[in-house]
Amino acid sequence: GKNVLIVYAHQEPKSLNGSLKRVAVEELSKQGCSVTVSDLYAMQFEPRATRNDIVGFLHNSSEFNYGVEAWEAYKRGSLSKDLIEEQKKVQEADLLIFQFPLYWFSMPAIMKGWMDRVLVQGFAHEFPNCYDSGLLKNKLALFSFTTGGSEEMYAKGGISGDIRYLLWPMQHGIMHFCGVKVLAPHICFAPEYVSEEKRKEMLTAWAQRLKTLWKEEPINCSPDWYFK
């Protein structure tokens, strides 16, 4: 069985995001996968990257540089306990699923904070080991999210532009940078504005996709996929 980590950012378990997360846990567990959920709001995950992330002394106490300090702390095993726990979950995972509502063309702050704090240099990337040679290169990631706007709004000629443009910083700038191969996103458009029936169909479609997920090929992680 494969190991799956779901990083989940929604305040309400009864939301569609909560239901999508639950469906993923159920379906993947049925397949014999070991599924771990980091429920960021329930954990009260700290999104801010601060001095508190480094236990003990600083590499350079005269001028605080978070990136350098986190890198040095990672090397000597002195990152804060919450970060070590999340990194262990990432390390063990074959697949990372990010489940969230789109906020302002991006992920919620609490999830961005997870990216900022967990994916430190030395753990997830270390120049020149980035992109195809990133340190997490044997893993897969999938972004599953809901939008406020309709599918038409996020089409190439739509008012919000092609949804793929928004995925460039998340899928390419974070995941691909760390070497992770990215599966096609799973997007539920405007669930608040559709019928209960349609929302049920969204959950069914997600369950169906999960049944054959391990047979999927990752997307071509090049600018062409996002901007062609």
Side-chain angles (χ1 to χ4, degrees), residues 207-220:
Q208 284 304 118
R209 181 178 176 189
L210 289 163
K211 286 182 198 305
T212 55
L213 195 68
W214 301 105
K215 297 192 178 115
E216 289 186 20
E217 286 296 315
I219 64 168
N220 162 24

mmCIF file with all atom_site columns, all heavy atoms in Angstrom, residues 207-220:
data_model
loop_
_atom_site.group_PDB
_atom_site.id
_atom_site.type_symbol
_atom_site.label_atom_id
_atom_site.label_alt_id
_atom_site.label_comp_id
_atom_site.label_asym_id
_atom_site.label_entity_id
_atom_site.label_seq_id
_atom_site.pdbx_PDB_ins_code
_atom_site.Cartn_x
_atom_site.Cartn_y
_atom_site.Cartn_z
_atom_site.occupancy
_atom_site.B_iso_or_equiv
_atom_site.pdbx_formal_charge
_atom_site.auth_seq_id
_atom_site.auth_comp_id
_atom_site.auth_asym_id
_atom_site.auth_atom_id
_atom_site.pdbx_PDB_model_num
ATOM 1   N N   . ALA A 1 207 ? -14.401 10.630 -6.216  1.00 0.00 ? 207 ALA A N   1
ATOM 2   C CA  . ALA A 1 207 ? -14.241 9.226  -5.793  1.00 0.00 ? 207 ALA A CA  1
ATOM 3   C C   . ALA A 1 207 ? -13.851 8.359  -6.990  1.00 0.00 ? 207 ALA A C   1
ATOM 4   O O   . ALA A 1 207 ? -12.970 7.497  -6.881  1.00 0.00 ? 207 ALA A O   1
ATOM 5   C CB  . ALA A 1 207 ? -15.538 8.711  -5.162  1.00 0.00 ? 207 ALA A CB  1
ATOM 6   N N   . GLN A 1 208 ? -14.490 8.612  -8.140  1.00 0.00 ? 208 GLN A N   1
ATOM 7   C CA  . GLN A 1 208 ? -14.193 7.848  -9.360  1.00 0.00 ? 208 GLN A CA  1
ATOM 8   C C   . GLN A 1 208 ? -12.744 8.072  -9.794  1.00 0.00 ? 208 GLN A C   1
ATOM 9   O O   . GLN A 1 208 ? -12.035 7.139  -10.150 1.00 0.00 ? 208 GLN A O   1
ATOM 10  C CB  . GLN A 1 208 ? -15.132 8.248  -10.507 1.00 0.00 ? 208 GLN A CB  1
ATOM 11  C CG  . GLN A 1 208 ? -16.524 7.682  -10.395 1.00 0.00 ? 208 GLN A CG  1
ATOM 12  C CD  . GLN A 1 208 ? -16.513 6.156  -10.278 1.00 0.00 ? 208 GLN A CD  1
ATOM 13  O OE1 . GLN A 1 208 ? -16.953 5.591  -9.278  1.00 0.00 ? 208 GLN A OE1 1
ATOM 14  N NE2 . GLN A 1 208 ? -15.980 5.472  -11.280 1.00 0.00 ? 208 GLN A NE2 1
ATOM 15  N N   . ARG A 1 209 ? -12.328 9.325  -9.751  1.00 0.00 ? 209 ARG A N   1
ATOM 16  C CA  . ARG A 1 209 ? -10.949 9.620  -10.176 1.00 0.00 ? 209 ARG A CA  1
ATOM 17  C C   . ARG A 1 209 ? -9.934  8.920  -9.261  1.00 0.00 ? 209 ARG A C   1
ATOM 18  O O   . ARG A 1 209 ? -8.925  8.387  -9.717  1.00 0.00 ? 209 ARG A O   1
ATOM 19  C CB  . ARG A 1 209 ? -10.700 11.132 -10.168 1.00 0.00 ? 209 ARG A CB  1
ATOM 20  C CG  . ARG A 1 209 ? -9.281  11.438 -10.625 1.00 0.00 ? 209 ARG A CG  1
ATOM 21  C CD  . ARG A 1 209 ? -8.944  12.893 -10.702 1.00 0.00 ? 209 ARG A CD  1
ATOM 22  N NE  . ARG A 1 209 ? -7.541  13.032 -11.051 1.00 0.00 ? 209 ARG A NE  1
ATOM 23  C CZ  . ARG A 1 209 ? -6.863  14.157 -11.035 1.00 0.00 ? 209 ARG A CZ  1
ATOM 24  N NH1 . ARG A 1 209 ? -7.471  15.288 -10.728 1.00 0.00 ? 209 ARG A NH1 1
ATOM 25  N NH2 . ARG A 1 209 ? -5.576  14.184 -11.347 1.00 0.00 ? 209 ARG A NH2 1
ATOM 26  N N   . LEU A 1 210 ? -10.226 8.922  -7.972  1.00 0.00 ? 210 LEU A N   1
ATOM 27  C CA  . LEU A 1 210 ? -9.291  8.316  -7.008  1.00 0.00 ? 210 LEU A CA  1
ATOM 28  C C   . LEU A 1 210 ? -9.109  6.820  -7.242  1.00 0.00 ? 210 LEU A C   1
ATOM 29  O O   . LEU A 1 210 ? -8.061  6.262  -6.928  1.00 0.00 ? 210 LEU A O   1
ATOM 30  C CB  . LEU A 1 210 ? -9.781  8.573  -5.576  1.00 0.00 ? 210 LEU A CB  1
ATOM 31  C CG  . LEU A 1 210 ? -9.657  10.032 -5.104  1.00 0.00 ? 210 LEU A CG  1
ATOM 32  C CD1 . LEU A 1 210 ? -10.519 10.278 -3.867  1.00 0.00 ? 210 LEU A CD1 1
ATOM 33  C CD2 . LEU A 1 210 ? -8.206  10.402 -4.821  1.00 0.00 ? 210 LEU A CD2 1
ATOM 34  N N   . LYS A 1 211 ? -10.120 6.177  -7.811  1.00 0.00 ? 211 LYS A N   1
ATOM 35  C CA  . LYS A 1 211 ? -10.038 4.730  -8.068  1.00 0.00 ? 211 LYS A CA  1
ATOM 36  C C   . LYS A 1 211 ? -8.896  4.380  -9.018  1.00 0.00 ? 211 LYS A C   1
ATOM 37  O O   . LYS A 1 211 ? -8.302  3.312  -8.920  1.00 0.00 ? 211 LYS A O   1
ATOM 38  C CB  . LYS A 1 211 ? -11.368 4.201  -8.642  1.00 0.00 ? 211 LYS A CB  1
ATOM 39  C CG  . LYS A 1 211 ? -12.490 4.108  -7.615  1.00 0.00 ? 211 LYS A CG  1
ATOM 40  C CD  . LYS A 1 211 ? -13.757 3.535  -8.225  1.00 0.00 ? 211 LYS A CD  1
ATOM 41  C CE  . LYS A 1 211 ? -15.000 3.831  -7.397  1.00 0.00 ? 211 LYS A CE  1
ATOM 42  N NZ  . LYS A 1 211 ? -14.927 3.412  -5.997  1.00 0.00 ? 211 LYS A NZ  1
ATOM 43  N N   . THR A 1 212 ? -8.619  5.290  -9.963  1.00 0.00 ? 212 THR A N   1
ATOM 44  C CA  . THR A 1 212 ? -7.569  4.992  -10.961 1.00 0.00 ? 212 THR A CA  1
ATOM 45  C C   . THR A 1 212 ? -6.397  5.980  -10.878 1.00 0.00 ? 212 THR A C   1
ATOM 46  O O   . THR A 1 212 ? -5.600  6.085  -11.803 1.00 0.00 ? 212 THR A O   1
ATOM 47  C CB  . THR A 1 212 ? -8.171  5.047  -12.386 1.00 0.00 ? 212 THR A CB  1
ATOM 48  O OG1 . THR A 1 212 ? -8.808  6.327  -12.568 1.00 0.00 ? 212 THR A OG1 1
ATOM 49  C CG2 . THR A 1 212 ? -9.197  3.952  -12.604 1.00 0.00 ? 212 THR A CG2 1
ATOM 50  N N   . LEU A 1 213 ? -6.313  6.667  -9.760  1.00 0.00 ? 213 LEU A N   1
ATOM 51  C CA  . LEU A 1 213 ? -5.316  7.731  -9.603  1.00 0.00 ? 213 LEU A CA  1
ATOM 52  C C   . LEU A 1 213 ? -3.888  7.256  -9.841  1.00 0.00 ? 213 LEU A C   1
ATOM 53  O O   . LEU A 1 213 ? -3.083  7.951  -10.473 1.00 0.00 ? 213 LEU A O   1
ATOM 54  C CB  . LEU A 1 213 ? -5.425  8.319  -8.193  1.00 0.00 ? 213 LEU A CB  1
ATOM 55  C CG  . LEU A 1 213 ? -4.728  9.654  -7.967  1.00 0.00 ? 213 LEU A CG  1
ATOM 56  C CD1 . LEU A 1 213 ? -5.415  10.769 -8.753  1.00 0.00 ? 213 LEU A CD1 1
ATOM 57  C CD2 . LEU A 1 213 ? -4.696  10.002 -6.489  1.00 0.00 ? 213 LEU A CD2 1
ATOM 58  N N   . TRP A 1 214 ? -3.575  6.059  -9.358  1.00 0.00 ? 214 TRP A N   1
ATOM 59  C CA  . TRP A 1 214 ? -2.183  5.581  -9.433  1.00 0.00 ? 214 TRP A CA  1
ATOM 60  C C   . TRP A 1 214 ? -1.779  5.219  -10.861 1.00 0.00 ? 214 TRP A C   1
ATOM 61  O O   . TRP A 1 214 ? -0.594  5.004  -11.125 1.00 0.00 ? 214 TRP A O   1
ATOM 62  C CB  . TRP A 1 214 ? -1.985  4.387  -8.495  1.00 0.00 ? 214 TRP A CB  1
ATOM 63  C CG  . TRP A 1 214 ? -2.292  4.761  -7.076  1.00 0.00 ? 214 TRP A CG  1
ATOM 64  C CD1 . TRP A 1 214 ? -3.409  4.417  -6.365  1.00 0.00 ? 214 TRP A CD1 1
ATOM 65  C CD2 . TRP A 1 214 ? -1.512  5.582  -6.202  1.00 0.00 ? 214 TRP A CD2 1
ATOM 66  N NE1 . TRP A 1 214 ? -3.368  4.971  -5.097  1.00 0.00 ? 214 TRP A NE1 1
ATOM 67  C CE2 . TRP A 1 214 ? -2.209  5.693  -4.968  1.00 0.00 ? 214 TRP A CE2 1
ATOM 68  C CE3 . TRP A 1 214 ? -0.284  6.246  -6.344  1.00 0.00 ? 214 TRP A CE3 1
ATOM 69  C CZ2 . TRP A 1 214 ? -1.722  6.418  -3.887  1.00 0.00 ? 214 TRP A CZ2 1
ATOM 70  C CZ3 . TRP A 1 214 ? 0.205   6.980  -5.266  1.00 0.00 ? 214 TRP A CZ3 1
ATOM 71  C CH2 . TRP A 1 214 ? -0.514  7.059  -4.057  1.00 0.00 ? 214 TRP A CH2 1
ATOM 72  N N   . LYS A 1 215 ? -2.759  5.189  -11.769 1.00 0.00 ? 215 LYS A N   1
ATOM 73  C CA  . LYS A 1 215 ? -2.421  4.896  -13.174 1.00 0.00 ? 215 LYS A CA  1
ATOM 74  C C   . LYS A 1 215 ? -2.160  6.179  -13.962 1.00 0.00 ? 215 LYS A C   1
ATOM 75  O O   . LYS A 1 215 ? -1.748  6.149  -15.116 1.00 0.00 ? 215 LYS A O   1
ATOM 76  C CB  . LYS A 1 215 ? -3.574  4.136  -13.847 1.00 0.00 ? 215 LYS A CB  1
ATOM 77  C CG  . LYS A 1 215 ? -3.855  2.769  -13.229 1.00 0.00 ? 215 LYS A CG  1
ATOM 78  C CD  . LYS A 1 215 ? -4.809  1.957  -14.116 1.00 0.00 ? 215 LYS A CD  1
ATOM 79  C CE  . LYS A 1 215 ? -5.032  0.580  -13.520 1.00 0.00 ? 215 LYS A CE  1
ATOM 80  N NZ  . LYS A 1 215 ? -6.424  0.366  -13.093 1.00 0.00 ? 215 LYS A NZ  1
ATOM 81  N N   . GLU A 1 216 ? -2.464  7.322  -13.350 1.00 0.00 ? 216 GLU A N   1
ATOM 82  C CA  . GLU A 1 216 ? -2.315  8.598  -14.067 1.00 0.00 ? 216 GLU A CA  1
ATOM 83  C C   . GLU A 1 216 ? -0.852  8.974  -14.279 1.00 0.00 ? 216 GLU A C   1
ATOM 84  O O   . GLU A 1 216 ? 0.001   8.702  -13.438 1.00 0.00 ? 216 GLU A O   1
ATOM 85  C CB  . GLU A 1 216 ? -3.003  9.731  -13.276 1.00 0.00 ? 216 GLU A CB  1
ATOM 86  C CG  . GLU A 1 216 ? -4.508  9.652  -13.279 1.00 0.00 ? 216 GLU A CG  1
ATOM 87  C CD  . GLU A 1 216 ? -5.144  10.869 -12.601 1.00 0.00 ? 216 GLU A CD  1
ATOM 88  O OE1 . GLU A 1 216 ? -4.473  11.915 -12.479 1.00 0.00 ? 216 GLU A OE1 1
ATOM 89  O OE2 . GLU A 1 216 ? -6.313  10.756 -12.198 1.00 0.00 ? 216 GLU A OE2 1
ATOM 90  N N   . GLU A 1 217 ? -0.616  9.638  -15.402 1.00 0.00 ? 217 GLU A N   1
ATOM 91  C CA  . GLU A 1 217 ? 0.709   10.193 -15.687 1.00 0.00 ? 217 GLU A CA  1
ATOM 92  C C   . GLU A 1 217 ? 0.751   11.631 -15.177 1.00 0.00 ? 217 GLU A C   1
ATOM 93  O O   . GLU A 1 217 ? -0.224  12.374 -15.335 1.00 0.00 ? 217 GLU A O   1
ATOM 94  C CB  . GLU A 1 217 ? 0.963   10.200 -17.200 1.00 0.00 ? 217 GLU A CB  1
ATOM 95  C CG  . GLU A 1 217 ? 1.247   8.835  -17.795 1.00 0.00 ? 217 GLU A CG  1
ATOM 96  C CD  . GLU A 1 217 ? 2.526   8.217  -17.256 1.00 0.00 ? 217 GLU A CD  1
ATOM 97  O OE1 . GLU A 1 217 ? 3.551   8.933  -17.175 1.00 0.00 ? 217 GLU A OE1 1
ATOM 98  O OE2 . GLU A 1 217 ? 2.499   7.027  -16.893 1.00 0.00 ? 217 GLU A OE2 1
ATOM 99  N N   . PRO A 1 218 ? 1.872   12.059 -14.602 1.00 0.00 ? 218 PRO A N   1
ATOM 100 C CA  . PRO A 1 218 ? 1.975   13.462 -14.188 1.00 0.00 ? 218 PRO A CA  1
ATOM 101 C C   . PRO A 1 218 ? 1.869   14.399 -15.390 1.00 0.00 ? 218 PRO A C   1
ATOM 102 O O   . PRO A 1 218 ? 2.115   13.980 -16.533 1.00 0.00 ? 218 PRO A O   1
ATOM 103 C CB  . PRO A 1 218 ? 3.375   13.547 -13.566 1.00 0.00 ? 218 PRO A CB  1
ATOM 104 C CG  . PRO A 1 218 ? 3.756   12.132 -13.256 1.00 0.00 ? 218 PRO A CG  1
ATOM 105 C CD  . PRO A 1 218 ? 3.064   11.284 -14.267 1.00 0.00 ? 218 PRO A CD  1
ATOM 106 N N   . ILE A 1 219 ? 1.511   15.648 -15.146 1.00 0.00 ? 219 ILE A N   1
ATOM 107 C CA  . ILE A 1 219 ? 1.457   16.631 -16.230 1.00 0.00 ? 219 ILE A CA  1
ATOM 108 C C   . ILE A 1 219 ? 2.881   16.944 -16.689 1.00 0.00 ? 219 ILE A C   1
ATOM 109 O O   . ILE A 1 219 ? 3.845   16.685 -15.975 1.00 0.00 ? 219 ILE A O   1
ATOM 110 C CB  . ILE A 1 219 ? 0.757   17.944 -15.790 1.00 0.00 ? 219 ILE A CB  1
ATOM 111 C CG1 . ILE A 1 219 ? 1.559   18.647 -14.683 1.00 0.00 ? 219 ILE A CG1 1
ATOM 112 C CG2 . ILE A 1 219 ? -0.675  17.690 -15.351 1.00 0.00 ? 219 ILE A CG2 1
ATOM 113 C CD1 . ILE A 1 219 ? 1.119   20.068 -14.392 1.00 0.00 ? 219 ILE A CD1 1
ATOM 114 N N   . ASN A 1 220 ? 2.981   17.501 -17.878 1.00 0.00 ? 220 ASN A N   1
ATOM 115 C CA  . ASN A 1 220 ? 4.272   17.943 -18.390 1.00 0.00 ? 220 ASN A CA  1
ATOM 116 C C   . ASN A 1 220 ? 4.600   19.262 -17.684 1.00 0.00 ? 220 ASN A C   1
ATOM 117 O O   . ASN A 1 220 ? 4.001   20.289 -17.957 1.00 0.00 ? 220 ASN A O   1
ATOM 118 C CB  . ASN A 1 220 ? 4.145   18.144 -19.908 1.00 0.00 ? 220 ASN A CB  1
ATOM 119 C CG  . ASN A 1 220 ? 5.261   19.005 -20.461 1.00 0.00 ? 220 ASN A CG  1
ATOM 120 O OD1 . ASN A 1 220 ? 6.340   19.097 -19.878 1.00 0.00 ? 220 ASN A OD1 1
ATOM 121 N ND2 . ASN A 1 220 ? 5.005   19.647 -21.576 1.00 0.00 ? 220 ASN A ND2 1
#
